[in-house]
Amino acid sequence: MKYIKLAEFYKEVSSTTKRLEKTAILAKFLKGLTEEDKDILYLLEGGIYPEYDERKIGISGQLALKAIAKATGTPNSKLVKEWKAIGDIGLVAEKFTLHKKQTTLGSTKVTTKKVIDNLRKLPELVGAGTVNKKIALITELLTSAEPIEALYLVRTLIGDLRIGVQEGTIREALALAYFKGDKESAETIQRAIDKSNDLGLVFVIARKKKLTDLKKINLQLGKPIKAMLAQKAKTIEEGFKNVGKPCMIEYKYDGFRLLIHKDKDKVTLFTRMLENVTKQFPEVTEYVNKYVKSDSCILDSEAVGFNKKTKEYTDFQAISQRIRRKHNIEELQKKLPVEVNVFDILYYNGKSELDTPFEKRAKLVRKILKDHPYKIISSKTMISSDVKKVEKFYKQALKDNQEGIMMKALDAEYKPGRRVGHMLKIKPSERDLDLVITGAEYGKGKRKGWMSSFILSCKGDKKGEYLEIGKVGTGIAEKDNDITFESLTKMLTPLIIKEKGNEVKLKPKIIVAVTYQEIQKSPNYESKWALRFPRFTALRNDKPLSEIADLKEVQEDFLKQKRNYRYG
Ligand code: AMP
C-alpha cells in the first residue's frame, strides 16, 4: 500500500473527536487492508512492532530536524526557528516539504512497506556512525514524501502521532469491520489483544471472520502482558460499595510492579511498562526457581526494597535505581535488596487464568508459592466485610511503611491494561501527585547553566492537554534521591520545544512525584489549581504519561484536604 493512503486516513480520522465516527472511519480503512498490510496495525499504535516488543523507533526531535533539513535542503537553524514558533515538528516537515515540492516534482512514491523497513532498521543501529546512518534512513523516506506524508512520518518518528486512535477504538473497529460490531465479538477481540499484545496478529485472525480462532490465542511465556490497574477509593466504605462484601484486602506495597514469567527454569521479569528487567534482578530469578512450584506460570507482584540491617521496608524511590541499572548489578543488589510480594497469577501450567475468579487465583498463588520473607512471599491479605477490621489492617500496613491497602472483588477476572473498578487502592497520601514537567527555568549563580525550577502539569480534560499546576525547585539533589539539577537538565534538554529568555517549554515526557502542603484554587495557572510548597520526591520512570494525575484527581485531593480525611 502507498504510504499516502495511510497518511490520508490519519488526516481523516483526526478530523473528528467523536469516538463512534473514528471507529467507523477506521473500520472502513481496515476493510481495505489485506493480510500483507498487517504491519500497518503497529503503525496505527505509533510503533513498528507488537507492543510486547521492546524495539522502539526512539528518534529525538533534534535528529528528525536534521533529516528534514537534509531532505528539504533547508538550513537547520531555519527549521529550529520554525519549530519553536509552531511547536509541532511534524507541521514543520509538512511546510518545508511543500516548499520543496514546487521544484522537485515527480519523485518516487513511498510505500508503507518501505516506511516500515526503514523504521525497523533504526533501533538495530549501534556503534560508530549511528547518527548519520539514522539520518540517511529517514532522509531517504522524506525525500520522496508528499507534504502530508512528511507530517505523519515525522510524528511517527518522534512518537507523537496524535490521531486519537486508542486500543479501544481499534478493538471496536475490528469488531465492526469483520463481525457485527456486537459486544461478544468486541470482547473476544479484546481478550485476544490482552493475551497476545499483538494487534497485527489479532488483525490477521479477525480478517478471517472466525471468533473461534480468536479465542484460541493464548498467553505466551516470555512476552509481556499489560498489568491490570487500580482505581482509587476515598474510604473503606466506598471501597466496599464498589467491590462488594466480603472482599479481599491486601497491603498496597510501595515498590514497583513486576510481572514474572516462569517457563520451566527460564524466568523473565517485566515492569508495568513492559520492559524486560530480568538482568537487573538476578536474585528474583533464583527465588522463583527455588520457591515457586510450577512447570510454568505468570505471576503478578510488587517488588519492595528493604534495609538489610534493620529489615525495615524502604520506599519506591530508594530502589528505583535498580530498574535502570545495566552494570555493576551485583553491587547494587547487595546494597538495595528487594522482596517480591506476589498477589496474582495469570497463567498456570499451560493455561490462562485470566478468567478464573480472583479468590481462586489468590488461593492458587498460595498453593504454589512457598513464602520466604525478604525473598519472595505472597502478599499480606485478609477477606473481610468489617470496616473496623479493615481499618486496623490499614493502620498496620502504614506502620509497616507500605502505601495503604487494596480492596479487590473476589469474583473478578484479570483485565490486562485496564484500570478496573473491581480493584481499588486506598492511601492516605492525598498530598502526593504524579505530574509531568512541561517547562523549566535556568538557574542563576551557582546553578547557572542548569535548569533549576520546573513547571509541573497535570492532565487536562482534552486529549493530549497538559495544564500547569505549579513550580518545583526543592527536593532535588537531596540525599535520598539520585536526581540532580545536572541530570535533570540533561534529561530535559532534548525535549525543549520553545525558548524565551531563561525559560523553556518542554515536551511532556518526564514524570515526577511531588508532595505538597496544600492545593489552592488559583487563577494564575492554566489548571486553575496551584500547589503550595511542592517538593520533588522521585522520578516516576515506571509510569506512562497516561497515568499522571488529571484535573479530577487534583480536585479530589483538594476536597479531601478540606475534610482533612486521614487514616493512621
Ligand atoms: P498507583 O501506582 O498509585 O496507581 O497504584 C497501583 C499500583 O500499586 C500497582 O500498579 C502496583 O504496582 C502497586 N501495588 C502494590 N501492592 C499491590 C497489591 N497488593 N495489588 C495490586 N497492586 C499493588
Side-chain angles (χ1 to χ4, degrees):
M1 184 196 274
K2 294 270 189 291
Y3 188 66
I4 188 110
K5 241 181 115 180
L6 181 60
E8 274 163 0
F9 156 73
Y10 285 153
K11 184 142 214 172
E12 188 185 352
V13 83
S14 312
S15 67
T16 172
T17 51
K18 295 201 182 89
R19 174 92 182 253
L20 282 180
E21 284 176 19
K22 277 187 184 289
T23 310
I25 295 167
L26 178 56
K28 195 175 103 216
F29 177 75
L30 290 173
K31 273 190 184 163
L33 300 185
T34 65
E35 191 167 328
E36 282 70 56
D37 295 321
K38 166 180 164 222
D39 293 341
I40 290 179
L41 271 290
Y42 307 134
L43 289 177
L44 285 180
E45 280 184 297
I48 37 175
Y49 288 108
E51 260 201 292
Y52 65 76
D53 198 303
E54 281 196 279
R55 286 168 294 180
K56 309 280 181 235
I57 303 172
I59 292 293
S60 68
Q62 255 90 355
L63 203 123
L65 219 56
K66 284 190 184 140
I68 302 169
K70 228 172 162 192
T72 61
T74 319
N76 210 65
S77 55
K78 193 165 173 188
L79 294 177
V80 172
K81 214 167 137 200
E82 197 69 24
W83 182 19
K84 281 180 183 165
I86 315 181
D88 179 338
I89 194 163
L91 291 175
V92 176
E94 184 181 34
K95 183 171 170 183
F96 286 91
T97 309
L98 194 69
H99 285 177
K100 179 201 68 168
K101 278 287 139 182
Q102 290 155 352
T103 53
T104 56
L105 282 171
S107 45
T108 53
K109 293 271 183 279
V110 192
T111 61
T112 51
K113 184 173 178 312
K114 179 72 187 158
V115 170
I116 290 266
D117 284 351
N118 277 26
L119 296 188
R120 281 188 175 167
K121 285 179 194 152
L122 296 171
E124 310 295 337
L125 291 171
V126 281
T130 300
V131 171
N132 285 337
K133 283 183 201 150
K134 285 187 177 175
I135 293 178
L137 283 166
I138 303 168
T139 310
E140 189 192 358
L141 295 175
L142 286 175
T143 315
S144 338
E146 295 292 323
I148 182 178
E149 292 177 307
L151 165 69
Y152 289 109
L153 249 173
V154 167
R155 282 195 182 163
T156 302
L157 281 170
I158 60 165
D160 193 14
L161 194 54
R162 296 199 207 174
I163 55 169
V165 169
Q166 259 70 48
E167 189 182 281
T169 322
I170 299 178
R171 170 194 67 219
E172 299 298 323
L174 284 167
L176 195 62
Y178 306 121
F179 303 95
K180 281 179 254 145
D182 55 310
K183 206 171 154 214
E184 191 203 344
S185 57
E187 276 174 6
T188 308
I189 289 167
Q190 184 63 55
R191 258 314 192 223
I193 299 173
D194 288 347
K195 289 181 177 172
S196 65
N197 238 334
D198 185 342
L199 275 181
L201 175 77
V202 174
F203 157 77
V204 167
I205 299 177
R207 276 192 80 245
K208 301 196 174 126
K209 306 188 177 182
K210 278 205 192 127
L211 276 186
T212 43
D213 285 350
L214 278 174
K215 285 183 183 156
K216 282 186 202 145
I217 292 183
N218 202 356
L219 292 164
Q220 285 202 24
L221 294 168
K223 281 189 189 168
I225 306 153
K226 289 187 208 150
M228 179 163 77
L229 304 170
Q231 291 183 13
K232 264 188 190 173
K234 284 193 212 87
T235 62
I236 292 164
E237 289 83 351
E238 183 194 316
F240 274 131
K241 218 184 268 162
N242 287 305
V243 300
K245 267 185 190 180
C247 73
M248 186 77 82
I249 318 291
E250 288 185 21
Y251 268 28
K252 183 182 189 309
Y253 296 95
D254 187 10
F256 64 94
R257 195 84 174 249
L258 207 53
L259 280 112
I260 304 169
H261 293 225
K262 177 180 186 310
D263 185 2
K264 302 237 165 46
D265 57 1
K266 186 176 183 326
V267 174
T268 322
L269 309 173
F270 296 104
T271 65
R272 80 193 229 190
M273 303 286 277
L274 313 184
E275 294 159 303
N276 186 331
V277 289
T278 316
K279 284 205 182 85
Q280 287 92 309
F281 298 93
E283 78 271 38
V284 176
T285 294
E286 187 196 316
Y287 304 156
V288 172
N289 276 331
K290 271 194 185 154
Y291 308 125
V292 178
K293 223 170 55 199
S294 78
D295 212 34
S296 63
C297 64
I298 300 176
L299 302 172
D300 196 353
S301 73
E302 183 90 351
V304 193
F306 62 91
N307 182 314
K308 237 180 164 172
K309 280 192 199 124
T310 63
K311 291 279 194 291
E312 260 188 18
Y313 290 107
T314 53
D315 57 9
F316 165 72
Q317 184 193 314
I319 47 160
S320 64
Q321 306 169 44
R322 284 204 63 185
I323 304 176
R324 300 267 153 258
R325 185 63 78 95
K326 298 271 157 66
H327 47 266
N328 291 346
I329 284 167
E330 253 179 53
E331 182 194 316
L332 209 60
Q333 180 188 332
K334 276 191 203 126
K335 204 169 110 198
L336 302 168
V338 296
E339 172 187 75
V340 180
N341 293 271
V342 182
F343 51 77
D344 215 330
I345 181 161
L346 321 188
Y347 180 92
Y348 176 59
N349 287 351
K351 238 184 82 251
S352 160
E353 297 290 340
L354 295 182
D355 297 319
T356 308
F358 174 60
E359 189 178 7
K360 264 187 144 172
R361 298 202 306 272
K363 275 196 184 133
L364 182 54
V365 168
R366 279 138 191 100
K367 195 177 116 188
I368 65 168
L369 171 64
K370 218 165 147 221
D371 277 359
H372 278 75
Y374 301 104
K375 290 182 174 168
I376 185 167
I377 55 172
S378 51
S379 59
K380 207 165 171 144
T381 59
M382 67 170 193
I383 293 179
S384 178
S385 352
D386 183 339
V387 174
K388 287 248 147 53
K389 280 193 186 140
V390 178
E391 236 161 58
K392 210 170 136 209
F393 188 84
Y394 188 1
K395 279 184 186 159
Q396 190 57 46
L398 298 177
K399 254 193 212 150
D400 287 345
N401 275 348
Q402 301 306 339
E403 269 195 300
I405 50 165
M406 309 291 295
M407 295 180 79
K408 302 182 182 179
L410 296 176
D411 59 354
E413 52 184 9
Y414 193 100
K415 291 189 164 178
R418 247 69 47 77
R419 190 171 287 288
V420 294
H422 58 70
M423 170 161 111
L424 303 173
K425 52 186 176 189
I426 304 188
K427 42 183 183 175
S429 52
E430 63 268 19
R431 299 178 177 199
D432 179 336
L433 289 170
D434 292 331
L435 299 165
V436 65
I437 299 180
T438 52
E441 249 175 59
Y442 287 98
K444 294 189 188 105
K446 84 175 187 246
R447 291 190 186 146
K448 196 165 167 14
W450 305 126
M451 294 178 189
S452 68
S453 164
F454 304 89
I455 297 188
L456 303 167
S457 293
C458 65
K459 264 197 300 191
D461 289 332
K462 287 195 219 110
K463 259 213 84 57
E465 183 184 47
Y466 298 96
L467 305 174
E468 291 176 8
I469 186 167
K471 252 187 200 177
V472 64
T474 46
I476 298 160
E478 287 178 11
K479 60 176 182 0
D480 279 341
N481 58 53
D482 55 333
I483 289 299
T484 59
F485 289 108
E486 183 178 345
S487 66
L488 268 175
T489 306
K490 278 198 183 135
M491 218 181 285
L492 292 167
T493 302
L495 305 176
I496 294 176
I497 305 170
K498 254 187 191 170
E499 243 170 311
K500 207 173 134 203
N502 67 340
E503 289 171 20
V504 289
K505 240 183 114 162
L506 299 165
K507 185 176 162 188
K509 181 149 188 221
I510 303 297
I511 300 165
V512 292
V514 293
T515 54
Y516 55 88
Q517 271 190 11
E518 204 185 349
I519 298 181
Q520 294 177 327
K521 292 196 171 168
S522 160
N524 299 331
Y525 283 116
E526 294 163 339
S527 63
K528 301 282 174 257
W529 299 106
L531 300 183
R532 259 170 72 79
F533 306 119
R535 185 178 186 78
F536 177 97
T537 60
L539 257 191
R540 289 303 308 250
N541 43 23
D542 63 319
K543 267 206 169 180
L545 197 51
S546 57
E547 286 179 28
I548 65 164
D550 55 14
L551 285 173
K552 201 169 132 235
E553 189 175 340
V554 175
Q555 183 178 16
E556 274 170 11
D557 284 5
F558 170 76
L559 294 174
K560 251 187 277 174
Q561 123 198 321
K562 286 266 157 195
R563 269 186 272 135
N564 203 12
Y565 184 84
R566 271 186 156 229
Y567 278 100

